[in-house]
Amino acid sequence: MTELRRGPVVPQVASLLRQRIHRGDWRPGDRLPNEVQLAAEFGVGRSSVREAVRLLAQDGLLDVRHGSGTFVAAGTAGTSDVRRLVRRARVLEVYEVRRALEVEAARLAAQRVGPEDIERLRADLRKRQDERGGDPAVFVDADLAFHRAVVELSGNALLLSLFTAAEPVLRQILTDLVRHETQLPDSSAAHADLLDALERGDPDAAVAATVANLDPVLRGLGSALA
């Protein structure tokens, strides 16, 4: 049985499957062992295997044929479309991009935010807090709505375009993490600190709050995918 490290389970299973495909353990057209066999091999639940397979299918590495099984895809066509490139990126890479753009967005937003914007952010943050502990997908939607509002307030159209491109895969990543991982850090304080920094117009504090929010998850993903 493969021993996983501490941290998010689904990304680790996805990484192990990806490694075996790249190593040639399974070649294009080969059928993977079924969920029960893979779950036993990795020492995880079937749902974790199912989610990992879904991630790799979205990356174009696997072909799930209902009623027949899961097969290694024959190949993946290239594309210049930003959204498709983002969806095919590794989870860690997407989160690294998220950190880079949200740090700069927070810095800019602190310089450009107005009183009416703060009220909107405060309402978005209340919505996020109200959804904590509820349906993971609803909570993640509320969380991303708050972060999107900050990016919008940066006044930088390119940052907003990048966030919009990354948002679908961020939603998937975060929903999977909230649904399957019980040791995720509570970032409520960091969110409150970000709002406070924006209200005070303090760019440095806004950056620090954003880093405090994103870095714990980023470190966990890095450990899981190393």
Side-chain angles (χ1 to χ4, degrees), residues 82-100:
V82 174
R83 293 177 187 273
R84 292 188 63 188
L85 286 174
V86 168
R87 282 196 294 267
R88 292 174 55 190
R90 291 171 60 226
V91 169
L92 178 59
E93 292 171 345
V94 173
Y95 224 82
E96 288 171 342
V97 170
R98 179 191 185 185
R99 182 189 189 279

Side-chain angles (χ1 to χ4, degrees), residues 89-154:
R90 291 171 60 226
V91 169
L92 178 59
E93 292 171 345
V94 173
Y95 224 82
E96 288 171 342
V97 170
R98 179 191 185 185
R99 182 189 189 279
L101 72 88
E102 289 201 32
V103 163
E104 181 61 14
R107 185 184 71 80
L108 292 172
Q111 300 172 30
R112 299 170 178 173
V113 67
E116 68 283 357
D117 301 318
I118 293 298
E119 289 307 311
R120 173 193 169 192
L121 287 173
R122 186 170 284 113
D124 286 342
L125 189 54
R126 281 198 300 267
K127 172 69 172 174
R128 179 192 183 275
Q129 295 304 105
D130 288 344
E131 298 299 342
R132 285 192 70 240
D135 181 89
V138 176
F139 169 71
V140 168
D141 281 344
D143 178 70
L144 288 176
F146 173 80
H147 289 281
R148 181 183 181 86
V150 174
V151 177
E152 290 174 350
L153 292 173
S154 74

Side-chain angles (χ1 to χ4, degrees), residues 164-217:
T164 300
E167 196 168 8
V169 74
L170 282 174
R171 180 173 289 104
Q172 174 188 307
I173 291 168
L174 293 171
T175 301
D176 288 342
L177 288 174
V178 173
R179 179 171 287 126
H180 297 293
E181 304 303 326
T182 59
Q183 302 300 318
L184 287 177
D186 181 5
S187 60
S188 298
H191 281 78
D193 288 344
L194 174 56
L195 178 59
D196 181 63
L198 293 174
E199 187 170 16
R200 291 185 285 109
D202 187 335
D204 292 338
V207 167
T210 302
V211 169
N213 172 28
L214 299 179
D215 273 15
V217 175

Side-chain angles (χ1 to χ4, degrees), residues 66-80:
H66 297 290
S68 298
T70 300
F71 298 80
V72 179
T76 305
T79 177
S80 60

